[in-house]
């Protein structure tokens, strides 16, 4: 009877807190029931959510929060479409989420953070968790409440142990990586002074850069995003007071100097999203001259490679002060054609993961967080890095 009871308890634990499916760790969704009290809704009015897998042992009082990514919507039409899919509604999301890479609970796959409390914040506002507005024309109602979603999730996690955190890392990938820059100071303010708070932006260093036709496509996109979703009031005051156009503070390159906790910047110098949407957006290549190059960097012509190298230099120039003046900052800028490298096991920590100076991304981040080694690594230009996976189809 004791054996049967023990087996039943294990099954219940796996169903309620997450379980292994083969080599995958599947973690259940937690809806934030109290979010409605502060008007924290997804685009469609559904409740926000997160997935949590509890830490243990030496990591029981350490917390890793990972913002989910997934682009943005900056007009009513695209936000209305988004509200009907998982990017805008928890009603359409999978209730079980795979935890891998930096979220893995396997010490072999995630040596420094495997036993931490690990939380994935689901993305359903389309504005990198910083909007605060609402649209209602009588027939269509959309909530742009990313800032309140962030607040609701943090307040839900506080009594679950976050308020007693010894170490904390705020991370995210893509639009979630941008959110980790935008919320780093605020995260630090929520936690006790004794907590070692640090932040990691993965593929979130979106450049304010002109496209191949010298139009500022991404700047225009972000300006519309900020205006629609009421983001400006939630941008860093020190940054907005320093620029003639406060909306620009959504770009990490302008915000960087005002982020106070230690920060790690993980990005590809040839980030696939930025290659496809900032440097060569569809509007700048109506005849598809770049199509083959976008699908395979080996098919790029020399003049296209030259422009890609120039884009890399622009990113390094934007990071120059951080690279040379930040004593607490970490950097891993490789030359892989990829986008988001912390959540995928292949790129985070595996036998054939991307490396620089014989260190994987996971090892570099761990060295930085725990102060084991100075970790500022910048790769040589493409195609010199033979460890790249070049996940060019991943966007």
């Amino acid at each position: 009877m004791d054996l049967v009871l023990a087996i039943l308890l294990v099954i219940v634990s796996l169903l309620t807190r997450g379980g292994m499916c083969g080599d995958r760790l599947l973690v259940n969704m937690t809806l934030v029931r109290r979010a409605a009290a502060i008007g924290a809704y997804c685009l469609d009015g559904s409740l926000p959510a997160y997935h949590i897998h509890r830490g243990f042992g030496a990591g029981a009082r350490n917390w890793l929060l990972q913002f989910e990514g997934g682009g943005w919507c900056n007009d009513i039409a695209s936000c209305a479409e988004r509200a009907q899919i998982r990017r805008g509604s928890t009603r359409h999301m999978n209730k079980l989420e795979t935890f891998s890479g930096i979220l893995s609970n396997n010490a072999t796959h995630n040596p420094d953070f495997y036993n931490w409390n690990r939380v994935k914040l689901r993305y359903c506002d389309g504005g990198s968790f910083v909007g605060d507005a609402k649209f209602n024309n009588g027939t269509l109602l959309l909530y742009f409440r990313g800032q309140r979603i962030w607040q609701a999730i943090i307040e839900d996690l506080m009594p679950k142990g976050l308020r007693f955190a010894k170490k904390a890392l705020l991370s995210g990938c893509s639009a979630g990586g941008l959110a980790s820059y935008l919320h780093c100071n605020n995260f630090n303010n929520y936690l006790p002074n004794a907590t070692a708070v640090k932040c990691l932006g993965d593929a979130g260093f979106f450049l304010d850069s002109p496209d191949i036709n010298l139009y500022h496509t991404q700047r225009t996109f972000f300006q519309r995003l900020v205006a629609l979703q009421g983001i400006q009031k939630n941008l860093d005051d020190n940054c907005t007071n320093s620029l003639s156009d406060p909306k620009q503070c959504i770009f990490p390159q302008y915000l960087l100097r005002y982020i106070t906790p230690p920060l790690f910047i993980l990005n590809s110098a040839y980030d696939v999203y930025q290659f496809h949407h900032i440097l060569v957006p569809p509007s700048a290549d109506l005849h598809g001259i770049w199509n083959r190059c976008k699908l395979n960097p080996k098919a790029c012509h020399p003049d296209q490679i030259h422009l890609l190298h120039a884009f890399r230099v622009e990113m390094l120039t934007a990071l120059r002060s951080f690279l040379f003046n930040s004593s607490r900052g970490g950097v891993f800028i490789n030359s892989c054609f990829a986008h988001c490298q912390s959540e995928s096991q292949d790129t985070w920590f595996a036998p054939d993961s991307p490396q620089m100076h014989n260190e994987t991304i996971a090892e570099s981040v761990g060295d930085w967080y725990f102060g084991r080694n100075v970790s500022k690594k910048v790769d040589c230009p493409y195609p010199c890095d033979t460890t790249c996976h070049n996940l060019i189809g991943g966007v």
Side-chain angles (χ1 to χ4, degrees):
M1 181 63 69
D2 289 344
L3 178 59
V4 172
L5 180 60
I7 292 172
L8 287 173
L9 288 173
V10 169
I11 293 172
V12 170
S13 175
L14 291 175
L15 289 174
T16 57
R17 295 180 58 197
M20 298 301 295
C21 180
D23 290 332
R24 292 193 302 156
L25 173 64
L26 298 176
V27 181
N28 255 333
M29 175 186 284
T30 299
L31 285 175
V32 185
R33 301 291 180 183
R34 298 179 183 175
I38 62 169
Y41 299 111
C42 298
L43 282 169
D44 72 329
S46 58
L47 291 174
Y50 59 86
H51 302 253
I52 179 171
H53 195 261
R54 288 291 190 171
F56 58 91
R61 289 185 60 188
N62 300 335
W63 287 76
L64 167 63
L65 274 61
Q66 177 86 351
F67 286 114
E68 183 180 28
W72 310 271
C73 63
N74 71 345
D75 57 46
I76 296 303
S78 63
C79 289
E81 289 181 7
R82 192 180 178 99
Q84 300 177 51
I85 62 173
R86 68 183 180 91
R87 294 299 186 198
S89 171
T90 51
R91 297 186 183 105
H92 299 296
M93 291 180 183
N94 292 330
K95 302 306 182 279
L96 289 172
E97 187 72 2
T98 300
F99 274 28
S100 62
I102 197 172
L103 295 173
S104 172
N105 69 333
N106 187 323
T108 303
H109 298 158
N110 187 26
D112 284 308
F113 306 106
Y114 72 97
N115 61 352
W116 286 32
N117 297 285
R118 298 163 333 282
V119 184
K120 185 165 189 175
L121 285 65
R122 297 309 298 269
Y123 185 33
C124 65
D125 62 277
S128 283
F129 295 86
V130 282
D132 192 7
K134 185 171 71 172
F135 175 82
N136 187 355
N137 66 359
T139 57
L140 177 64
L141 175 60
L142 294 171
Y143 292 92
F144 306 118
R145 295 287 175 78
Q147 182 74 22
R148 300 192 200 194
I149 289 172
W150 159 249
Q151 178 186 341
I153 292 176
I154 289 291
E155 291 177 356
D156 203 62
L157 292 173
M158 283 294 192
K160 295 181 178 181
L162 181 59
R163 65 162 58 113
F164 303 115
K166 293 173 62 179
K167 294 181 174 64
L169 177 61
L170 182 66
S171 182
C173 144
S174 191
L178 177 59
S180 68
Y181 290 111
L182 297 171
H183 283 297
C184 187
N185 288 340
N186 187 235
F187 184 55
N188 190 44
N189 293 337
Y190 271 111
L191 296 175
N193 291 333
T195 307
V197 176
K198 300 187 179 184
C199 303
L200 163 65
D202 175 12
F205 199 81
F206 297 98
L207 284 177
D208 179 23
S209 174
D211 62 31
I212 54 172
N213 293 335
L214 302 182
Y215 292 114
H216 281 274
T217 303
Q218 189 66 24
R219 181 188 296 176
T220 300
F221 183 94
F222 270 173
Q223 286 176 336
R224 291 173 179 166
L225 173 68
V226 171
L228 175 70
Q229 296 218 16
I231 287 173
Q232 184 171 318
K233 59 180 173 284
N234 294 321
L235 298 175
D236 183 86
D237 288 340
N238 292 319
C239 181
T240 57
N241 291 334
S242 70
L243 296 180
S244 57
D245 183 359
K247 296 185 188 73
Q248 294 294 86
C249 289
I250 196 171
F251 283 102
Q253 67 198 78
Y254 305 119
L255 174 64
L256 206 52
R257 70 179 70 181
Y258 304 107
I259 296 175
T260 53
L263 174 68
F264 193 101
I265 297 173
L266 166 60
N267 233 93
S268 166
Y270 306 95
D271 180 271
V272 177
Y273 179 90
Q274 299 201 53
F275 174 16
H276 291 190
H277 297 277
I278 297 181
L279 180 62
V280 193
S283 60
D285 185 31
L286 296 177
H287 300 292
I289 295 171
W290 282 77
N291 286 353
R292 293 183 67 242
C293 178
K294 284 183 173 183
L295 291 172
N296 179 5
K298 293 180 180 178
C300 297
H301 298 302
D303 56 337
Q304 293 172 325
I305 291 293
H306 176 76
L307 286 172
L308 285 164
H309 288 335
F311 189 78
R312 169 184 176 271
V313 170
E314 191 165 356
M315 178 175 289
L316 297 181
T317 301
L319 286 169
R320 182 176 179 83
S321 179
F322 187 84
L323 283 166
F324 293 103
N325 299 329
S326 174
S327 59
R328 301 183 302 161
V331 175
F332 194 101
I333 305 293
N334 60 7
S335 292
C336 305
F337 284 81
H339 182 67
C340 289
Q341 300 180 86
S342 63
E343 291 182 347
S344 169
Q345 199 59 58
D346 288 344
T347 47
W348 175 248
F349 191 68
D352 62 345
S353 289
Q355 295 186 23
M356 275 192 281
H357 309 300
N358 296 317
E359 264 201 341
T360 62
I361 294 169
E363 290 168 325
S364 291
V365 172
D367 282 353
W368 160 78
Y369 189 93
F370 293 99
R372 295 189 296 249
N373 193 13
V374 176
S375 190
K376 289 186 178 178
K377 297 179 175 64
V378 176
D379 215 348
C380 48
Y382 173 83
C384 72
D385 189 337
T386 59
T387 71
C388 284
H389 284 206
N390 289 334
L391 306 174
I392 197 140
V395 172

